[in-house]
Amino acid sequence: MNNNSYSNSYKDAGVDVTAGYKAVELMKQYVARTVTKGVVDGIGGFGGLFELDITDIKKPVLVSGTDGVGTKIKIAFLLDKHDTVGIDCVAMCVNDIICCGAKPQFFLDYIACGKNYPEKIAKIVSGVAEGCVQAGCALIGGETAEHPGLMPDEDYDLAGFSVGVVDKDKIIKPDTQKAGDVMIAIKSSGVHSNGFSLVRKVFDVNEQSLAKTYDELGGKTLGEVLLTPTRIYVKAIMSLIDSVNVKSISHITGGGFYENIPRSLPKGLSAKISRKNVQVLPIFDLIAKTGNIPERDMFNTFNMGVGMTVVVDKADADKAVEVLKAAGEEAYILGELIEGDYGVVITE
């Protein structure tokens, strides 16, 4: 900690630089968990240094992704639980990166807060670090910024970005897909980090509504289920890519099936999905019932229990499911590709 840096005048204006130093000291133990062989130096400098290992990569291509947690963060405020939203932040970035076959290498976070409470900031970073461990990437830096007068003292926002690498010749190219290829679903852990503006409206979210238990949710409270961290699929997807020819990957985020799946399809092909195949999680049934939300809107807003989809040749489908299950994921056949520019067709 820097004992020679302080400013009473700045503190009187709402920014306590010493609180920032304390937060950094508290978070170092969490950051240490994420160190990989590419990390050149610890946190604290002006830039995060990372030595890229391209030993087995002929034409390295860097792939970047950035995102935040969205209004799910309001649930963390109300529950006063701040050690999981960092997992969401990492997940939203690295799950995008792997869609083209890239392996995440490092991550940086940005926390904006009304007032720097070092212990709270350290809890947030502990979640970021856990997400990095799950993704196999290093947390090499970040920023915490106090914004007095712009945000309430207790509020914060969290965002971040990650960089991955893939061999140019191994980038997943959706144009290799054809009619008859099989789409596989990988189960989500819940709502993940999208659609929370609608969720909060449906349940009129406050401390009381979040404390309510539901039989449909196995007796869990609404808050517990909503705050469940986004699943990180990096290691399972990397294992799958090493085992079969993966033709495309979609991360099912905001916009649900109808927006995200077409992003991984070439012109002239669409995804045909049987509604009965979709293993919808109970939280989505509860959202639809409570908010009287049409099913079309549900599939166009939420992941509905499917965190990612992958497309493989029909001959590889069973093996792909086995590989994903061996990697700890719940996976199943969701549908197939058909000719036509319909995007996504969900049948009975």
Side-chain angles (χ1 to χ4, degrees), residues 64 86 141 168 194 220 284:
S64 59
K168 187 175 182 179
N194 301 102
K220 294 181 179 179
F284 298 110

Side-chain angles (χ1 to χ4, degrees), residues 7-15:
S7 170
N8 289 329
S9 297
Y10 207 8
K11 185 175 182 180
D12 290 342
V15 178

Side-chain angles (χ1 to χ4, degrees), residues 16-345:
D16 185 357
V17 294
T18 60
Y21 301 144
K22 183 178 180 182
V24 171
E25 288 300 316
L26 291 174
M27 68 178 69
K28 282 183 177 179
Q29 61 179 310
Y30 305 117
V31 175
R33 296 183 58 217
T34 76
V35 173
T36 64
K37 65 179 182 179
V39 176
V40 175
D41 203 356
I43 61 172
F46 288 101
L49 305 180
F50 191 89
E51 183 177 3
L52 190 62
D53 182 3
I54 56 172
T55 303
D56 298 319
I57 302 177
K58 296 179 180 180
K59 301 175 182 178
V61 174
L62 298 181
V63 182
S64 59
T66 184
D67 210 335
V69 184
T71 62
K72 180 176 183 174
I73 216 159
K74 185 70 173 180
I75 311 298
F77 295 168
L78 292 168
L79 296 179
D80 193 24
K81 181 174 173 54
H82 310 284
D83 59 351
T84 62
V85 289
I87 301 175
D88 291 291
C89 190
V90 175
M92 297 307 292
C93 297
V94 299
N95 284 346
D96 278 352
I97 286 176
I98 60 176
C99 287
C100 65
K103 184 180 186 304
Q105 301 293 304
F106 58 82
F107 187 87
L108 286 88
D109 61 13
Y110 178 85
I111 305 170
C113 56
K115 183 176 176 60
N116 188 330
Y117 297 102
E119 290 76 13
K120 180 188 285 188
I121 297 300
K123 284 185 178 180
I124 298 169
V125 174
S126 74
V128 175
E130 172 59 27
C132 288
V133 169
Q134 292 183 23
C137 64
L139 177 57
I140 64 171
E143 173 70 10
T144 302
E146 269 186 299
H147 291 164
L150 184 63
M151 305 172 68
D153 284 357
E154 299 298 325
D155 284 6
Y156 63 86
D157 197 10
L158 172 63
F161 82 92
S162 185
V163 174
V165 65
V166 62
D167 195 315
K168 187 175 182 179
D169 293 334
K170 296 182 179 179
I171 294 174
I172 294 175
K173 299 173 181 176
D175 59 4
T176 63
Q177 298 171 102
K178 66 181 186 302
D181 284 345
V182 171
M183 178 168 286
I184 296 169
I186 310 177
K187 187 177 179 180
S188 72
S189 56
V191 184
H192 283 183
S193 298
N194 301 102
F196 272 85
S197 294
L198 179 55
V199 169
R200 291 186 299 111
K201 178 182 178 182
V202 165
F203 293 106
D204 189 21
V205 164
N206 54 45
E207 292 179 1
Q208 290 72 39
S209 63
L210 291 176
K212 184 177 179 180
T213 59
Y214 291 85
D215 291 339
E216 299 98 315
L217 304 180
K220 294 181 179 179
T221 66
L222 177 64
E224 183 181 1
V225 172
L226 291 181
L227 204 57
T228 301
T230 305
R231 188 87 175 156
I232 292 177
Y233 301 103
V234 173
K235 294 178 181 178
I237 291 295
M238 291 297 105
S239 178
L240 183 65
I241 290 172
D242 287 339
S243 303
V244 301
N245 177 29
V246 177
K247 297 187 175 185
S248 77
I249 305 174
S250 294
H251 182 199
I252 311 302
T253 56
F257 281 41
Y258 287 106
E259 182 174 325
N260 291 289
I261 291 176
R263 295 168 64 183
S264 66
L265 298 174
K267 184 176 177 58
L269 287 180
S270 299
K272 181 182 178 182
I273 296 169
S274 175
R275 173 63 177 81
K276 66 178 182 293
N277 287 350
V278 185
Q279 297 179 15
V280 178
L281 295 177
I283 182 60
F284 298 110
D285 290 330
L286 183 61
I287 292 170
K289 176 183 175 182
T290 305
N292 193 28
I293 301 173
E295 186 165 87
R296 177 63 166 72
D297 289 356
M298 290 295 296
F299 274 91
N300 209 157
T301 305
F302 302 106
N303 68 61
M304 300 301 285
V306 179
M308 298 200 89
T309 62
V310 297
V311 173
V312 299
D313 190 274
K314 186 175 182 179
D316 292 329
D318 289 341
K319 181 178 180 180
V321 170
E322 291 175 6
V323 170
L324 288 167
K325 288 182 176 179
E329 302 297 339
E330 294 188 45
Y332 57 91
I333 304 297
L334 183 64
E336 64 176 348
L337 300 192
I338 60 173
E339 294 182 353
D341 289 316
Y342 314 112
V344 174
V345 178

